[in-house]
Amino acid sequence: MAKESVSIDKASRQMIKRAASEGIETVWDRYEQMQPQCGFGSLGICCKICSMGPCRIDPFGEGPQAGICGANADTIAARNLIRMVAAGAAAHSDHGRDIAHTLKLVVDGGTRDYSVKDEKKLKEVAARYGVETEGKDVTQIAKEVSEVVLNEFGKQEGTLTSAEVYAPPARVETWKKAGVMPRSVDREIVEVMHRTHMGVDVDYKNLMQHAIRTSLSDGWGGSLIATEFSDILFNGPEPIRFSANLGVLEEDSVNIVLHGHEPTLSEIIAAVSQEKELVKMAKDKGAKGINIAGMCCTGNEILMRHGIPVAGDFLQQELAVITGAVEAMVVDVQCIMPALGPLCDCFHTKLITTSPKCKMEGVEHIEFHEDKAVETARVIIKKAIENFPNRGKVEIPQEKEKAVAGFTTEVVFNILGGKYRSTYRPLNNAVIEGRLRGAAGVVGCNNPKIQHNYGHIAMLKELIKNDVLIVTTGCNAIAAAKAGLLRPEAASMCGKGLQEICETVGIPPVLHVGSCVDNSRILTILAAVVKEGGLGDDISDLPVAGAAPEWMSEKAVSIGMYFVASGVYTVIATPLPVLGSKKLTKYLTEDMEKEIGGKWAFEEDPIKAAHMMIRHIDRKRKALKLKPPMYKQAFAYKE
Ligand code: BF8
Ligand code: SF4
């Protein structure tokens, strides 16, 4: 059984130990059983696209160098990679579409459970899309905006409006020159499937051009729409306190864990859970009350807006159940381990699927529809309450760390600019004068290939120590929260420059900007920094870098690709499965930069990866002719 040392997180270690002592299998055990993992798959050189195959290329050059149809390693690896981008972009964008549909349902009178909560944001989005707001009421504006935006998914002519109007003009120019301007969200994904069908696109470079186009339709399209519309429907987040880690589960309460990605159900469950009648019902069953906790990105959505505690990141989903204290784990879509089904059978925990897109054999399905959201939420909560008396032995780790989240493109603007001057000027100035060395977006998942949370935390600490301000999303944000890096007090772990800023403004050095679709906030922050001026004309001029130190999902591939394609140098831990093609690897990690301004790098050691990012930041500072960092830096090096 897995040893506790697979994680650096104390609460996780305790639950891994509990699992081992009870003979319960977890992700780390299954990872062990899977060794050695298939070398062809890891290198990206196996193909099963048609039934002449499966085919595989011999990486040592002794066996076959082409599949039965003649496809070589470059084609096969590129086709596999672009399909990962398509799956990731599809996941984000389908989420975005559902949120946009919810807004449409609101204005069409199809649901009374949601409403427009952020009129200011609605008007801002309307202005971006060229929807006239003068003299129109909110319903009319929301109707027109949702129609225009829903059209972005399937329009047949022109290019994606959001990419054109949200990105810096120089960036749009680069995309147009490279021929990668996305046309519409669904179209790019469909075209990936067409191009990678047997006997279509063979040229790895042509495939990568379309991979870029598809990823852009995610970052500046589907994901951006998900973020903007979630803000309109549920309110744009503001700085807010929350607690993180398994210790947020309560021994004497009915614990409901909301796991997955979409805010539509979790928002309603969180609100309904405090209804008097339900709380009374919980008390009648012997509980103190109803405790809602998030998990993964749906957790991020509700902590950003309501400060609801988050029980853990991706690799803690099984561990939450292993506490024996979870009455119901309610899941919607994405990053939900199939292992939860059999695991919940070993405990009293009721696993409930809610999306027609995500069912599990033998698992109770209570389908959620926006037109009866509150009703469904009540049914789910009642099931959890009724399950409270069925608990067995409970063991909840103590650990829960205080944290602050709720930073957005708009909030960063207000906070750093001071109350009366909403501007990015102070942030840009801090970079220009060298108080800040640069900034980094550190995001992404967990992966049992990397010691749980070590990748995230080691990298974050190294970067802040070197005066690099961080924006974070997804499971990196949850890991950072657990490690105390989302508290203003974490300023004490920073270099002198970043420390001064954090202390003056009262912010943590790691800014939690939301769930994985909210990586779009990082894009719009970068666009705002460019617009503010003084740091070049394009995102690729900025002294910034990106990283995903424990990534695992296809969404991370799409995210990485759109960051690179937006001009950001991006370092990931586990290499993309492309190393079986020398040409494709060289393209992604070297040549791409000349065409698009950003490139990928692979480095499993988070400290080394942080140093690679810092070197890149320094090169960009030099190119902008900025002064060297104001204070002595922990990581100084010579070119
Ligand atoms: O969308 S960071 S493990 S939970 S994929 Fe999944 Fe990765 Fe976590 Fe959120 Ni994002
Ligand atoms: Fe093999 Fe070509 Fe078919 Fe792929 S498409 S399985 S390489 S024959």
Side-chain angles (χ1 to χ4, degrees):
M1 304 291 297
K3 299 221 171 58
E4 302 157 59
S5 57
V6 293
S7 175
I8 62 161
D9 175 56
K10 222 171 143 201
S12 300
R13 284 179 169 226
Q14 187 182 336
M15 286 302 100
I16 291 162
K17 203 168 153 196
R18 182 174 204 212
S21 69
E22 310 230 339
I24 295 166
E25 196 181 84
T26 64
V27 61
W28 290 280
D29 301 305
R30 294 186 296 274
Y31 174 69
E32 277 304 314
Q33 291 156 19
M34 200 54 70
Q35 301 309 314
Q37 284 173 283
C38 172
F40 297 100
S42 307
L43 296 172
I45 44 176
C46 69
C47 180
K48 52 181 179 57
I49 272 171
C50 86
S51 92
M52 292 190 283
C55 301
R56 57 190 194 195
I57 305 298
D58 180 15
F60 304 108
E62 284 155 20
Q65 291 303 297
I68 294 164
C69 67
N72 64 17
D74 307 323
T75 301
I76 292 174
R79 281 197 306 219
N80 290 339
L81 183 68
I82 192 173
R83 283 193 170 200
M84 292 182 90
V85 172
H92 285 148
S93 300
D94 209 32
H95 168 169
R97 183 205 327 270
D98 283 349
I99 306 274
H101 263 299
T102 307
L103 182 64
K104 179 116 185 6
L105 207 63
V106 169
V107 294
D108 290 347
T111 176
R112 295 220 306 250
D113 296 347
Y114 304 90
S115 60
V116 172
K117 292 237 173 72
D118 193 338
E119 288 182 22
K120 189 164 168 265
K121 183 83 182 228
L122 173 68
K123 286 183 183 156
E124 279 164 15
V125 173
R128 295 259 199 189
Y129 281 93
V131 172
E132 190 52 64
T133 53
E134 205 52 46
K136 291 180 191 159
D137 66 9
V138 172
T139 310
Q140 185 58 27
I141 300 169
K143 187 173 161 54
E144 289 179 32
V145 168
S146 56
E147 276 162 9
V148 170
V149 169
L150 279 167
N151 189 38
E152 293 268 274
F153 288 91
K155 72 180 175 196
Q156 301 300 320
E157 306 286 337
T159 54
L160 205 65
T161 311
S162 49
E164 187 107 30
V165 300
Y166 278 83
R171 184 75 337 226
V172 176
E173 264 321 295
T174 303
W175 292 336
K176 286 187 175 161
K177 225 170 104 200
V180 296
M181 211 42 205
R183 295 158 298 182
S184 69
V185 177
D186 295 351
R187 179 173 183 178
E188 308 309 357
I189 296 164
V190 168
E191 195 171 306
V192 170
M193 299 317 284
H194 178 194
R195 283 183 189 227
T196 56
H197 180 275
M198 191 271 149
V200 187
D201 207 353
V202 172
D203 179 353
Y204 75 95
K205 270 201 178 170
N206 204 41
L207 281 160
M208 284 308 102
Q209 185 192 34
H210 189 61
I212 290 171
R213 194 182 287 126
T214 306
S215 72
L216 291 173
S217 79
D218 171 359
W220 296 90
S223 280
L224 186 141
I225 291 167
T227 300
E228 299 291 67
F229 276 61
S230 296
D231 285 354
I232 291 171
L233 279 170
F234 308 119
N235 248 334
E238 297 272 343
I240 192 163
R241 287 176 208 282
F242 69 102
S243 310
N245 217 341
L246 293 167
V248 306
L249 299 172
E250 293 173 0
E251 183 113 29
D252 44 8
S253 296
V254 173
N255 290 305
I256 303 177
V257 174
L258 305 175
H259 173 25
H261 282 76
E262 296 181 342
T264 27
L265 174 63
S266 52
E267 277 276 335
I268 302 284
I269 292 193
V272 169
S273 70
Q274 297 317 315
E275 284 182 356
K276 272 198 193 122
E277 186 209 341
L278 292 171
V279 176
K280 185 178 173 297
M281 207 179 140
K283 285 186 174 156
D284 290 346
K285 291 279 177 196
K288 188 184 78 183
I290 301 165
N291 180 40
I292 305 288
M295 173 73 56
C296 288
C297 280
T298 219
N300 281 323
E301 296 278 357
I302 47 179
L303 75 80
M304 284 284 283
R305 296 191 176 87
H306 306 290
I308 288 175
V310 65
D313 51 28
F314 172 71
L315 281 186
Q316 287 178 291
Q317 54 187 289
E318 291 173 291
L319 306 182
V321 176
I322 291 169
T323 61
V326 177
E327 274 57 57
M329 183 172 273
V330 185
V331 303
D332 53 31
V333 289
Q334 301 168 22
C335 303
I336 299 149
M337 283 194 203
L340 286 177
L343 178 68
C344 287
D345 288 343
C346 305
F347 291 85
H348 81 303
T349 306
K350 259 193 182 308
L351 182 62
I352 300 170
T353 55
T354 57
S355 165
K357 293 171 202 167
C358 171
K359 292 191 184 181
M360 295 176 166
E361 198 189 347
V363 168
E364 183 166 10
H365 184 73
I366 303 180
E367 200 150 298
F368 168 74
H369 293 283
E370 285 79 356
D371 55 349
K372 46 180 176 51
V374 169
E375 202 182 309
T376 316
R378 286 195 191 117
V379 172
I380 291 172
I381 296 168
K382 281 181 189 162
K383 289 226 175 237
I385 296 171
E386 274 154 20
N387 198 22
F388 183 73
N390 300 330
R391 273 192 190 178
K393 224 176 111 226
V394 167
E395 181 183 339
I396 304 174
Q398 293 287 307
E399 283 71 26
K400 65 171 169 184
E401 187 58 74
K402 290 198 177 85
V404 180
F407 297 94
T408 62
T409 311
E410 296 81 0
V411 166
V412 171
F413 197 77
N414 294 335
I415 290 190
L416 291 169
K419 264 202 177 115
Y420 307 103
R421 246 178 95 237
S422 293
T423 160
Y424 271 80
R425 195 72 256 155
L427 177 63
N428 285 29
N429 282 349
V431 175
I432 292 167
E433 59 199 27
R435 201 176 297 276
L436 275 184
R437 195 166 182 174
V442 187
V443 305
C445 327
N446 308 134
N447 186 329
K449 289 180 177 171
I450 313 276
Q451 189 186 25
H452 175 231
N453 288 175
Y454 171 70
H456 289 308
I457 302 310
M459 175 180 281
L460 291 175
K461 285 187 174 166
E462 189 62 20
L463 289 170
I464 61 173
K465 201 165 84 185
N466 281 285
D467 288 337
V468 177
L469 175 72
I470 310 286
V471 280
T472 175
T473 62
C475 290
N476 179 279
I478 300 171
K482 291 186 293 169
L485 295 175
L486 301 191
R487 298 178 312 149
E489 293 79 11
S492 63
M493 296 185 226
C494 303
K496 198 154 181 265
L498 180 55
Q499 186 176 359
E500 281 175 5
I501 291 174
C502 291
E503 283 171 359
T504 313
V505 190
I507 52 167
V510 182
L511 301 176
H512 187 344
V513 302
S515 63
C516 270
V517 288
D518 294 331
N519 280 311
S520 65
R521 295 198 204 275
I522 302 181
L523 295 177
T524 51
I525 289 172
L526 294 172
V529 169
V530 170
K531 196 167 172 213
E532 188 61 51
L535 289 170
D537 300 326
D538 194 353
I539 295 172
S540 56
D541 295 329
L542 301 175
V544 300
E550 299 182 23
W551 81 278
M552 64 86 200
S553 87
E554 289 165 316
K555 288 181 287 172
V557 180
S558 180
I559 294 166
M561 192 65 90
Y562 73 62
F563 269 105
V564 167
S566 300
V568 180
Y569 172 68
T570 302
V571 189
I572 60 169
T574 312
L576 290 173
V578 297
L579 300 185
S581 160
K582 284 198 181 68
K583 282 190 193 165
L584 180 59
T585 305
K586 183 171 176 295
Y587 177 73
L588 294 167
T589 57
E590 293 177 34
D591 305 344
M592 219 177 148
E593 195 174 28
K594 285 167 230 127
E595 278 169 33
I596 209 85
K599 63 178 178 181
W600 293 83
F602 313 139
E603 174 54 60
E604 282 178 20
D605 179 335
I607 305 280
K608 278 192 195 151
H611 292 170
M612 288 157 71
M613 295 160 78
I614 294 171
R615 265 194 210 106
H616 174 81
I617 285 172
D618 283 358
R619 271 182 216 130
K620 290 293 171 183
R621 291 189 68 87
K622 213 168 152 193
L624 286 166
K625 301 196 170 48
L626 302 181
K627 286 182 234 157
M630 194 178 273
Y631 299 108
K632 192 166 178 294
Q633 296 292 297
F635 175 65
Y637 64 92
K638 287 213 168 69
E639 276 289 351

